[in-house]
Amino acid sequence: MELTLDQEIEQLKNKPNATTRIVSDGMERHLHIPKKVLDHGFVRVVDYMGDDSAIVQAARVSYGAGTKRARGDAGLIRYLMRHRHTTPFEMCEVKFHIKLPIFVARQWIRHRTANVNEYSARYSVLDREFYVPAPENLAAQSSSNRQGRGEVLDGREAFDVLEILKSDSLRAYGNYELMLSSDGKRGLSRELARINLPVSVYTQWYWKTDLHNLFHFILLRGEQHSQFEIRAYADVIATILGDWVPIAWQAFSDYRINGFELSAKGVECVKRMIKGENVTQESSGMTRREWTEFELAILND
């Protein structure tokens, strides 16, 4: 009998093994526990290696024992993050089991810095599960961003869109089952029958990456302009990271998520402002878009 996810988790939890490797108490609380994402998706930690101390250990091998006296662990990690010394962060790794819609997976796989093994529809039959957006996430095409959303649909328009999404998905899956059927017929092969399914169908994969590249994933996919559906996964993973490597996560939040990188022109503008000069977009030498981003980061409360 094939194990369900819950049965698999219970078996793992009931067979604890002693270990002498580094263990993160924060990550142990997440291990094997599925975190719900979207309507049918989840993220769960399958395995991990290292914690904040592993980052520090790797850095001190590189820089020498003198850094122990010069900086505490938090100070060293913040120094590494601030100066973009990325190798020590690569000493931590994590493996996730993720269930996600196919269209999200195709965005996700663009991060070519992980080891991935996906559920194969050539060998197995995909489940009858589709992603259907919640009404508050149904939005029209943005008029200013070709890859973004604009105003949220409402009323009859939203209802009609949801009905189309549901009915098309159900019809496609019904035909998928029909083509696979061997009831008095040969039935179409699984690798061919799958081609009629929509990208809203859920798939699953194991995704293993190191902390440095995971930070990069969070920076891009957790950003407010990223597509909502992949951002939902990034938000869940970010919560896990905060418990796994709290010192590194705080440094990443300070310097990358909530920090701002200035160009040479930006630095010059700040210097002029400190001197009391009235700096405008015209006198800054920046493009309008650069200036807008500069204003949002530096000038706005």
Side-chain angles (χ1 to χ4, degrees):
M1 181 180 69
E2 185 177 353
L3 287 177
T4 66
L5 179 58
D6 289 340
Q7 289 171 327
E8 180 186 350
I9 291 169
E10 285 305 311
Q11 283 196 1
L12 290 168
K13 289 168 67 176
N14 291 332
K15 293 182 178 179
N17 295 308
T19 180
T20 56
R21 69 181 179 90
I22 292 173
V23 173
S24 165
D25 291 337
M27 187 61 115
E28 289 293 314
R29 294 194 295 271
H30 293 288
L31 200 57
H32 308 309
I33 308 301
K35 314 291 182 182
K36 182 175 174 59
V37 189
L38 302 180
D39 48 0
H40 301 295
F42 63 74
V43 170
R44 76 172 175 119
V45 179
V46 176
D47 200 2
Y48 71 97
M49 180 179 74
D51 65 354
D52 282 321
S53 68
I55 300 168
V56 172
Q57 180 189 52
R60 289 190 173 128
V61 166
S62 174
Y63 298 147
T67 56
K68 179 65 176 178
R69 295 188 294 272
R71 304 181 187 88
D73 288 358
L76 177 54
I77 287 175
R78 293 180 68 82
Y79 174 88
L80 297 170
M81 183 67 69
R82 189 163 63 250
H83 293 276
R84 300 181 184 275
H85 294 300
T86 60
T87 305
F89 296 101
E90 295 173 5
M91 298 301 108
C92 294
E93 292 197 346
V94 61
K95 179 165 63 175
F96 293 106
H97 176 196
I98 300 166
K99 184 177 180 181
L100 68 172
I102 289 175
F103 74 92
V104 175
R106 297 305 160 253
Q107 276 189 310
W108 197 312
I109 204 66
R110 290 175 62 83
H111 295 264
R112 302 183 300 274
T113 50
N115 305 112
V116 185
N117 193 37
E118 186 175 358
Y119 184 95
S120 175
R122 292 188 67 196
Y123 306 123
S124 304
V125 177
L126 289 166
D127 291 333
R128 187 174 174 271
E129 290 182 319
F130 319 94
Y131 170 65
V132 178
E136 62 268 23
N137 294 318
L138 286 176
Q141 177 64 43
S142 170
S143 58
S144 59
N145 183 352
R146 284 181 293 180
Q147 58 177 356
R149 305 182 191 188
E151 295 295 320
V152 175
L153 303 181
D154 55 20
R156 184 69 194 184
E157 191 173 15
F159 176 82
D160 289 345
V161 168
L162 286 173
E163 287 302 303
I164 290 171
L165 291 172
K166 292 174 185 176
S167 62
D168 282 359
S169 296
L170 289 170
R171 182 172 62 253
Y173 193 86
N175 288 332
Y176 171 65
E177 289 184 308
L178 183 64
M179 288 186 286
L180 289 173
S181 174
S182 58
D183 184 17
K185 302 178 182 179
R186 291 185 182 180
L188 189 64
S189 67
R190 291 170 182 169
E191 68 177 17
L192 285 174
R194 63 180 173 166
I195 67 177
N196 198 45
L197 290 171
V199 293
S200 60
V201 171
Y202 273 83
T203 185
Q204 297 184 42
W205 63 25
Y206 280 82
W207 191 73
K208 181 175 73 69
T209 190
D210 63 63
L211 183 59
H212 164 60
N213 286 301
L214 188 52
F215 277 153
H216 184 65
F217 174 85
I218 297 296
L219 190 63
L220 293 180
R221 300 306 182 176
E223 201 266 338
Q224 63 175 340
H225 296 108
S226 181
Q227 182 168 347
F228 164 76
E229 285 78 14
I230 197 167
R231 192 168 74 243
Y233 285 88
D235 289 346
V236 170
I237 292 173
T239 300
I240 294 171
L241 286 185
D243 292 335
W244 176 27
V245 283
I247 298 175
W249 175 255
Q250 185 61 57
F252 174 70
S253 298
D254 289 346
Y255 292 116
R256 299 290 179 268
I257 296 178
N258 299 311
F260 183 72
E261 186 172 355
L262 291 175
S263 66
K265 291 177 181 178
V267 171
E268 184 60 32
C269 286
V270 171
K271 290 179 179 178
R272 290 166 59 191
M273 290 173 180
I274 291 173
K275 293 176 181 178
E277 292 185 36
N278 179 30
V279 182
T280 65
Q281 189 253 314
E282 289 74 16
S283 66
S284 70
M286 300 183 194
T287 65
R288 184 175 298 279
R289 185 164 186 173
E290 284 180 303
W291 179 256
T292 299
E293 293 173 356
F294 178 77
E295 281 189 310
L296 288 172
I298 303 298
L299 304 181
N300 286 8
D301 292 331

